[in-house]
Amino acid sequence: MLRLRLAAALVALGLGQSAAALSLVQAYQTALANDPIFASARAQYTAGLEQLPQARSALLPFVTAGASATYNDTRTRFTNQLPRRNVYTDDYGYQLVLSQPLFDWTSWQTYEAAKLGVTLTELGLQYAHQDLMLRVAQTYFDVLAAQDVLTALEAERSAIGEQLQSARRNFEIGTATITDTYEAQARFDLNSAQLLQAENSLQVRRAALEKIIGEPAGTLSVLPAGTPAPPPQPAQAQAWLERAETDNLGVVQAQIQTALASKQVDIARSAHYPQVDLVGTFGQADNRYRPETAQAAQGISDGRARNTASSIGVQVSIPLYTGGYVSSRVREEAAREQAARYDYEDARREAVRATREAFLGVNTGLAQIRALEAAETSSRQALQANLTGYEVGVRINLDVLNAQQQLYATQRDLAAARYNTLLAGLRLKAAAGQLAEDDIDALNRLLRPASEVDTRPPPPPRPLVR
């Protein structure tokens, strides 16, 4: 990381040294440490683990202690001429209470529900981890795709510029009309507008990647032209669909949520059951009283008393009538359980749909890559033929411009198809619950540092002066 920052600083100072390429694995590892969404998920996971000790505490002994200190001023006045009597007392005491649940079905079921809650928390972290891998790969390849679009438009600009110069020379020597020059100029101006949009798109997509990794992205590794996209393994759609129905994280979460909803029904129903507790107490109280001086002369003197008490026993609490509250809670939780079952079925169907869509996306992408590779070859040949026809006078300047546009559009579509196919492969594994860090590493091995790869498209045939 220090090397990346140092290299970026050297570039900023204009020392002409290039920054080390940021690989896909490096971007992912940096995002693990810096992405705020994943950091929030980790914090939620840590918080969710506390459900279990909190639920377990209701099954363990409760010990409480209390103490008191009281000053009493008692003044008695008689109506039969007896002297009044004032007594001042000080009371001190403390008490220990131990309570151990012997039978508390609500607490037991709550403890079992907490185990399911912890499992849901763990699944939530797994889902955040999977989502991070997809987001990093998506934004990383978005930047590469934007770079390819910009590179192709720059190459197209160069080709149009040469065609524009050729049209001007031909007009000057009288072998072409001014129309050819206007057409080439119009294409050149349109390309300039497209270049501005492509540069803006590259900056936006780079910013999206930097938001995830939390630092400047620098130079990225690139996908060399002709790198084959891996086909899905296994190659049968049914195998992927079967995995999705059992291993998809959304399906597993829905299964756990259904089991948790069933536990909530048991918890609500347990409010009908008795609760048995073992309760023990121990306490001590000191009492001291002090009469006034006149009363002391009459034989009433200071006194002190100490009381010690202890007890142990079993307490049984049986709910007899709660106004229909418990029955209403049972009906409510039963309805929620039914809703959870429907949610599980929806999650299962969605997993199957997403897996089928991703599987088709990979296979369609592979076929599209082959078709676009053939189209690129054909477009290059068509451009060569149009240039030759323009030279001998059977093709016009507009034909050449159209052929150039078709070639570079095909190159942009081919680059996009390659990235989309690789991303579809990741989404397929995610939908089937099989996505892991090894898959990110496998994609990273397809990439190469930009300094080792010539990302410029092959130059088109040069226009000739007629």
Side-chain angles (χ1 to χ4, degrees):
M1 199 56 59
L2 181 60
R3 292 178 59 194
L4 284 176
R5 293 176 179 173
L6 178 59
L10 293 176
V11 171
L13 292 173
L15 299 181
Q17 297 182 11
S18 60
L22 177 70
S23 69
L24 179 59
V25 166
Q26 289 172 333
Y28 165 69
Q29 292 173 345
T30 305
L32 276 177
N34 297 339
D35 180 53
I37 297 178
F38 186 67
S40 174
R42 282 200 306 263
Q44 292 290 343
Y45 168 74
T46 303
L49 294 179
E50 298 303 320
Q51 298 177 73
L52 198 58
Q54 291 173 13
R56 188 190 298 116
S57 66
L59 303 174
L60 301 178
F62 276 56
V63 180
T64 59
S68 64
T70 307
Y71 171 75
N72 298 303
D73 182 355
T74 304
R75 302 186 181 189
T76 304
R77 179 171 296 180
F78 298 95
T79 59
N80 55 359
Q81 306 301 318
L82 290 176
R84 67 181 183 179
R85 178 180 297 173
N86 297 338
V87 179
Y88 308 101
T89 62
D90 298 320
D91 298 328
Y92 304 92
Y94 68 90
Q95 185 181 41
L96 296 175
V97 178
L98 168 67
S99 176
Q100 169 62 57
L102 299 179
F103 179 80
D104 187 347
W105 194 245
T106 299
S107 296
W108 274 108
Q109 294 303 307
T110 301
Y111 177 64
E112 295 297 325
K115 294 180 181 178
L116 296 174
V118 169
T119 302
L120 276 178
T121 299
E122 294 171 347
L123 287 172
L125 184 62
Q126 292 180 29
Y127 184 85
H129 192 191
Q130 175 179 279
D131 177 67
L132 179 65
M133 288 187 282
L134 290 175
R135 286 189 292 118
V136 169
Q138 179 72 62
T139 53
Y140 194 96
F141 286 137
D142 281 349
V143 173
L144 295 185
Q147 289 179 171
D148 287 348
V149 169
L150 184 60
T151 301
L153 286 173
E154 289 173 344
E156 183 178 3
R157 178 185 181 86
S158 176
I160 295 175
E162 292 182 359
Q163 189 67 23
L164 176 60
Q165 294 300 323
S166 174
R168 287 173 176 172
R169 288 193 300 267
N170 290 335
F171 175 72
E172 290 173 356
I173 64 178
T175 59
T177 66
I178 192 63
T179 303
D180 291 346
T181 303
Y182 289 158
E183 289 173 345
Q185 185 66 54
R187 291 296 176 91
F188 189 84
D189 295 338
L190 176 61
N191 177 267
S192 298
Q194 292 173 335
L195 271 173
L196 291 174
Q197 183 179 2
E199 290 170 354
N200 177 75
S201 178
L202 176 58
Q203 293 178 6
V204 169
R205 294 183 178 188
R206 183 176 291 275
L209 176 61
E210 292 174 349
K211 172 182 178 292
I212 298 176
I213 65 177
E215 60 185 43
T219 304
L220 305 186
S221 298
V222 298
L223 185 66
T227 301
Q233 293 294 335
Q236 296 77 25
Q238 187 60 35
W240 288 98
L241 297 178
E242 291 174 357
R243 289 181 181 180
E245 288 185 324
T246 57
D247 298 341
N248 178 273
L249 290 183
V251 173
V252 177
Q253 283 182 325
Q255 286 178 326
I256 301 300
Q257 287 170 344
T258 301
L260 183 58
S262 179
K263 282 296 178 185
Q264 293 298 331
V265 175
D266 294 336
I267 292 172
R269 189 176 289 115
S270 66
H272 287 300
Y273 303 155
Q275 180 176 338
V276 182
D277 297 303
L278 176 66
V279 180
T281 62
F282 175 82
Q284 193 173 80
D286 286 341
N287 178 272
R288 186 177 65 178
Y289 58 91
R290 293 172 284 111
E292 290 185 340
T293 305
Q295 296 170 341
Q298 299 174 7
I300 302 176
S301 60
D302 290 356
R304 185 168 185 171
R306 171 170 291 179
N307 299 318
T308 301
S310 60
S311 66
I312 187 169
V314 175
Q315 292 183 354
V316 179
S317 175
I318 303 175
L320 298 179
Y321 181 67
T322 58
Y325 173 79
V326 175
S327 299
S328 175
R329 283 279 297 155
V330 171
R331 293 192 298 270
E332 176 188 359
E333 296 301 334
R336 295 185 185 278
E337 179 187 13
Q338 188 64 32
R341 296 185 186 278
Y342 289 132
D343 291 341
Y344 164 71
E345 178 61 21
D346 178 70
R348 188 191 65 81
R349 296 182 185 182
E350 174 60 23
V352 170
R353 184 207 63 79
T355 302
R356 181 178 286 110
E357 178 181 352
F359 184 84
L360 292 174
V362 174
N363 286 290
T364 301
L366 292 172
Q368 188 177 25
I369 290 172
R370 292 191 295 269
L372 287 171
E373 287 174 342
E376 182 185 21
T377 302
S378 300
S379 297
R380 190 173 296 278
Q381 294 171 348
L383 177 57
Q384 179 64 63
N386 276 279
L387 285 170
T388 303
Y390 180 69
E391 179 185 1
V392 299
V394 296
R395 282 288 187 269
I396 61 175
N397 187 57
L398 182 60
D399 295 331
V400 176
L401 293 174
N402 288 337
Q404 288 177 340
Q405 184 181 42
Q406 178 179 328
L407 172 61
Y408 289 108
T410 302
Q411 290 175 344
R412 294 194 296 270
D413 291 343
L414 176 59
R418 293 162 65 211
Y419 297 127
N420 291 336
T421 302
L422 294 177
L423 288 171
L426 290 183
R427 295 191 189 98
L428 174 61
K429 293 186 176 182
Q434 309 296 315
L435 184 61
E437 292 181 348
D438 290 343
D439 299 308
I440 296 295
D441 186 61
L443 285 186
N444 188 70
R445 290 195 295 270
L446 300 178
L447 306 176
R448 295 291 181 271
S451 59
E452 300 177 6
V453 179
D454 186 4
T455 58
R456 295 172 300 176
R462 299 178 63 86
L464 302 174
V465 180
R466 291 189 295 182

